Amino acid sequence: MTVTGIITALIVGLVIGALGRLVVPGKQNIPIWLTMVIGVVAALLGTVIARATGVADTKGVDWIEILFQVVLAAIGVALVAGVGSRRRITR
């Protein structure tokens, strides 16, 4: 992977993570770097799911693939934020 590919993956991860964070209601007390990691993982998994279902290669913007990525990011943010808040409550 080239440097440009890595930078692009980080930017896409940040955007997908931020969108996933916006979808989840309430305030999430997780750092931005963790949001970016969740976004990168969600972007990769969303692409895999889109390719497996045959909707990754369409003419124009792949809206269904982006939807998969954002939904996965929202689930990831909600899980991490929930685990973090639960950990603070039990202490």
Side-chain angles (χ1 to χ4, degrees):
M1 182 176 263
T2 64
V3 173
T4 307
I6 293 170
I7 292 171
T8 303
L10 291 175
I11 292 171
V12 169
L14 182 60
V15 171
I16 294 295
L19 288 172
R21 195 171 180 159
L22 286 173
V23 172
V24 177
K27 185 173 188 229
Q28 298 83 33
N29 290 323
I30 60 174
I32 194 69
W33 66 266
L34 189 53
T35 301
M36 189 182 336
V37 170
I38 292 169
V40 169
V41 171
L44 292 172
L45 287 176
T47 300
V48 168
I49 292 170
R51 287 179 193 250
T53 56
V55 295
D57 295 321
T58 60
K59 293 180 182 176
V61 178
D62 297 326
W63 293 109
I64 297 173
E65 181 178 1
I66 293 171
L67 179 68
F68 285 151
Q69 293 170 340
V70 172
V71 167
L72 288 170
I75 291 169
V77 167
L79 287 173
V80 170
V83 168
S85 66
R86 185 177 194 127
R87 191 175 291 164
R88 280 189 292 275
I89 292 171
T90 58
R91 283 187 181 180

